[in-house]
Structures are given as structure tokens and as C-alpha cells.
Amino acid sequence: DQQVKQNSPSLSVQEGRISILNCDYTNSMFDYFLWYKKYPAEGPTFLISISSIKDKNEDGRFTVFLNKSAKHLSLHIVPSQPGDSAVYFCAAPTNFGNEKLTFGTGTRLTIIP
Amino acid sequence: DVKVTQSSRYLVKRTGEKVFLECVQDMDHENMFWYRQDPGLGLRLIYFSYDVKMKEKGDIPEGYSVSREKKERFSLILESASTNQTSMYLCASSPHRDSYNEQFFGPGTRLTVL
């Protein structure tokens, strides 16, 4: 099974600077990772994903990097905006041929105007 | 537009009450999920269903049961609510069996058990 760890519970970044959120995983057999964003009192929404055939995926201000040898992925937001203040969860498939996802504990990002 | 709705945004119940949380998706998705979110613990899977009348336990099923009589509806039942079940409950759905799918979430139900 997969374990997903986000070791930083919170992060504060000045508006306009780069935000970097980190995530580590345990099982390198899986090849697909996702990031979700969650505002208070709302459900999480899908943000961006990456397949292990790539080491980078970009969507506007959001880029996810995958380092397979280190079993590490990171989400870069640049430039950071006040509306990016939210909790970010990384997720990975729980096991093979399976619809379930394992989520990290989340990182609360605060953008300081 | 993809839509997952949950029957209540906020709910207050007393210890020992039976509680029903309802979730409906309008996307004809095969998979439906119930999670709870607690500070510092992230999203934890309670139960999962991949078809009508089919269910599978998640990581924390104790004290909960589920029902899926129709494809679009997935209910979470707290047989006898306890204070440690105070939490944010999130329902999600995803399209297909046996594939890694993006999950679509409802807005959540904040349940308080007194």
C-alpha cells in the first residue's frame, strides 16, 4: 500500500513570490500523483496531476515536479496570489488496479498581501 | 458541470442518535467514497463503493455503515453517534472502476455530536 506524507503543516509566503509545497511517498510502484486544493467549508478540488513518465507538469501558475529516485513531489505556485491561500493535499493511488486514493495530511498555505 | 451534492452543510446531533448523511452525484460515476477530514490527519477513507449494493471498507470503518441502492446515491450511516465522530464528512465520486481517476468532491457536512 501507499503512504503519502506532507511534513509541513503550514507555509506562509509573500504575495508575488514562489510557493513550494512538498510531498513524499513510500511506494514507487505507483505512477500517478495528484494535488488537491481545499478552501474552508468547501470540498477539495482537483488542481494538477503528474504521471511518472514525466518529471514535470505545468498548468498556468502551477507546476508539479516529480523526483522518482527520491520518491518526492513538489507543487510550485508562481507568482503566489491571495486566492491561493488554502489547504493543499497531495494524493496517490492506494494500491494497484484500484480506484482509491491515499491523501497526505495537507499543508495550509497562507499568502501574505 | 460535474456535481456532487451532500444533504446538509451543518448538522448537530446528540450522542446515541442514528445519523444519515446523504450524497448524490449527477455524473453517472461508478465509484463513490466517504471520507472524514480532521485537523492534522488529512482525509481518511471510511467506505468506498464501486457499484450499486457493493461496498468496501476503508481505513476507518468502525462505527459507520453505508448504503448504495442507486448508482447516483451513497449514504453514510452513524448507527449510534459518538462525540469522537464530530468531524467534516466529505463525499466524492470518480468515473470508472480499475483506474486511477480524479475524484470529485461534494461541499462537505460539518457534523457536531454533543
Side-chain angles (χ1 to χ4, degrees), chain A residues 9 17 22 35 39 46 49 57 64 71 84 91 93 101 108 111:
Chain A
R17 306 294 290 266
N22 295 304
W35 284 94
Y39 292 119
F46 170 74
S49 63
N57 188 27
V64 57
K71 298 181 190 175
D84 297 329
L101 295 175
R108 179 177 300 280
I111 305 302

Side-chain angles (χ1 to χ4, degrees), chain A residues 63-94:
Chain A
T63 304
V64 57
F65 295 91
L66 178 62
N67 182 334
K68 292 184 280 290
S69 60
K71 298 181 190 175
H72 177 85
L73 62 154
S74 61
L75 175 68
H76 292 213
I77 307 172
V78 55
S80 300
Q81 298 175 355
D84 297 329
S85 295
V87 178
Y88 291 79
F89 294 98
C90 66
T94 301

Side-chain angles (χ1 to χ4, degrees), chain A residues 7-100:
Chain A
N7 292 317
S8 298
S10 63
L11 176 68
S12 294
V13 174
Q14 206 75 34
E15 182 179 357
R17 306 294 290 266
I18 184 170
S19 296
I20 301 175
L21 294 92
N22 295 304
C23 180
D24 297 302
Y25 58 94
T26 56
N27 193 329
S28 56
M29 300 293 285
F30 300 105
D31 58 2
Y32 186 64
F33 303 91
L34 309 90
W35 284 94
Y36 280 79
K37 176 178 179 178
K38 185 182 184 299
Y39 292 119
E42 293 184 17
T45 54
F46 170 74
L47 188 58
I48 193 169
S49 63
I50 189 165
S51 163
S52 63
I53 60 173
K54 295 182 170 183
D55 53 18
K56 174 183 170 181
N57 188 27
E58 202 169 341
D59 183 1
R61 297 185 297 113
F62 301 91
T63 304
V64 57
F65 295 91
L66 178 62
N67 182 334
K68 292 184 280 290
S69 60
K71 298 181 190 175
H72 177 85
L73 62 154
S74 61
L75 175 68
H76 292 213
I77 307 172
V78 55
S80 300
Q81 298 175 355
D84 297 329
S85 295
V87 178
Y88 291 79
F89 294 98
C90 66
T94 301
N95 45 37
F96 282 117
N98 198 287
E99 307 81 352
K100 295 188 285 189

Side-chain angles (χ1 to χ4, degrees), chain B residues 3 9-10 17 24 28-29 31 35-36 41 45-46 50 56 64-65 69-70 73 85 87 91-92 103 106 109 113:
Chain B
K3 200 157 184 191
R9 294 300 299 272
Y10 300 93
E17 279 192 76
V24 177
D28 201 35
H29 283 176
N31 307 316
Y35 295 90
R36 61 179 281 178
L41 297 177
L45 182 65
I46 305 171
Y50 53 87
E56 194 175 300
Y64 303 95
S65 62
E69 298 295 320
K70 293 184 177 181
R73 188 178 297 268
Q85 292 179 308
S87 187
C91 176
Q103 293 183 12
T109 296
V113 182

Side-chain angles (χ1 to χ4, degrees), chain B residues 1 4 24-25 34-35 41 52 54 66 69 74 81 85 94 96 102 109 111:
Chain B
D1 227 7
V4 179
V24 177
Q25 51 96 2
W34 275 107
Y35 295 90
L41 297 177
V52 174
M54 305 303 288
V66 290
E69 298 295 320
F74 192 35
Q85 292 179 308
S94 67
H96 309 298
E102 171 194 343
T109 296
L111 173 67

